[in-house]
């Protein structure tokens, strides 16, 4: 189910985890990998394709939520602000949100554009965890280095969960660990 306004959100009757991140960081691909369904969430090579809050029910026990990306999108600034504000409003006002997963491209690490997202999550007091995506594009030592650096960068942030996961939707690396984190966050 996709929603373009807060009024259209489903009832808060199931625990939810949300996936947020820059445009083209791999949110849809990661959701597909976590669920084991190849085309559940639509992945695109064009930045800014997710323009609504998308909900996916898993085993009638929890919802995975795909939020619009932030940063570059091939739309007008006004349109980008509308769908990005929808994602921010969702994060601030959802009582059944158990954790947000902030996806960061492992090849680039945290960038200045991510700081605004970190600040917003801290301000909203939403528990969030950093998930590095596309880790298969790096050598193991590079993945370890970016993981350690990212953990150090978020160590003083109030709402940050103190563990960084490195994943690859393409190769399946880190996906079982992410599934376990999601279930634990939802109390399942």
């Amino acid at each position: 189910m996709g929603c373009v306004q807060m009024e259209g959100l489903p009832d808060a009757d199931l625990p939810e985890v949300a996936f947020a991140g820059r445009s083209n960081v791999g949110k849809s691909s990661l959701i597909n990998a976590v669920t084991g369904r190849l085309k559940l969430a639509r992945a695109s090579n064009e930045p800014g394709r997710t323009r609504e809050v998308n909900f996916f029910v898993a085993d009638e026990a929890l919802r995975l939520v795909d939020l619009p990306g932030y940063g570059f999108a091939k739309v007008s600034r006004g349109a980008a602000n509308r769908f990005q504000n929808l994602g921010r409003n969702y994060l601030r006002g959802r009582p059944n949100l158990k954790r947000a997963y902030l996806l960061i491209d492992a090849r680039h690490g945290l960038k200045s554009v991510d700081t605004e997202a970190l600040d917003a999550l801290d301000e909203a007091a939403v528990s969030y965890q950093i998930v590095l995506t596309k880790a298969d594009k790096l050598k193991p030592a590079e993945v370890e280095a970016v993981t350690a650096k990212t953990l150090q960068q978020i160590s003083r942030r109030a709402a940050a969960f103190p563990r960084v996961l490195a994943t690859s939707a393409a190769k399946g690396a880190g996906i079982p660990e992410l599934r376990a984190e999601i279930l634990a966050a939802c109390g399942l």
Side-chain angles (χ1 to χ4, degrees), residues 98-182:
K98 301 303 181 187
R99 183 167 299 150
Y101 293 94
L102 184 60
L103 279 51
I104 303 295
D105 189 323
R107 299 170 297 178
H108 307 297
L110 286 170
K111 292 184 164 261
S112 57
V113 70
D114 298 313
T115 303
E116 183 181 325
L118 294 169
D119 291 344
L121 289 163
D122 284 336
E123 185 179 312
V126 172
S127 171
Y128 63 92
Q129 185 170 3
I130 302 293
V131 176
L132 299 173
T133 61
K134 305 178 185 184
D136 60 301
K137 309 280 186 188
L138 299 174
K139 294 178 177 150
E142 293 171 319
V143 173
E144 284 181 35
V146 74
T147 300
K149 181 178 180 182
T150 304
L151 188 56
Q152 186 273 325
Q153 289 173 303
I154 64 165
S155 65
R156 297 190 189 271
R157 292 197 166 267
F161 191 76
R163 187 166 39 244
V164 173
L165 290 176
T167 65
S168 166
K171 305 283 185 186
I175 300 303
E177 293 83 356
L178 180 55
R179 285 184 188 126
E181 293 280 353
I182 291 168

Side-chain angles (χ1 to χ4, degrees), residues 4-88:
V4 295
Q5 297 179 339
M6 289 296 289
E7 298 77 28
L9 298 181
D11 292 336
D13 56 350
L14 291 175
E16 294 175 355
V17 295
F19 294 86
R22 288 191 308 265
S23 296
N24 265 23
V25 75
K27 289 183 304 294
S28 298
S29 296
L30 191 68
I31 288 171
N32 290 339
V34 165
T35 61
R37 304 228 1 237
L38 213 49
K39 295 184 181 185
L40 180 66
R42 286 183 300 209
S44 170
N45 288 328
E46 182 182 325
R49 292 296 297 168
T50 302
R51 298 177 186 175
E52 55 192 18
V53 177
N54 293 304
F55 293 85
F56 304 96
V57 177
D59 293 332
E60 302 301 322
L62 67 102
R63 286 190 196 100
L64 305 175
V65 183
D66 187 5
L67 298 175
Y70 55 86
F72 180 77
K74 289 185 176 182
V75 294
S76 71
R77 180 173 291 280
N81 285 341
R82 274 194 300 282
F83 59 79
Q84 290 169 0
N85 285 337
L86 175 63
R88 285 186 201 98

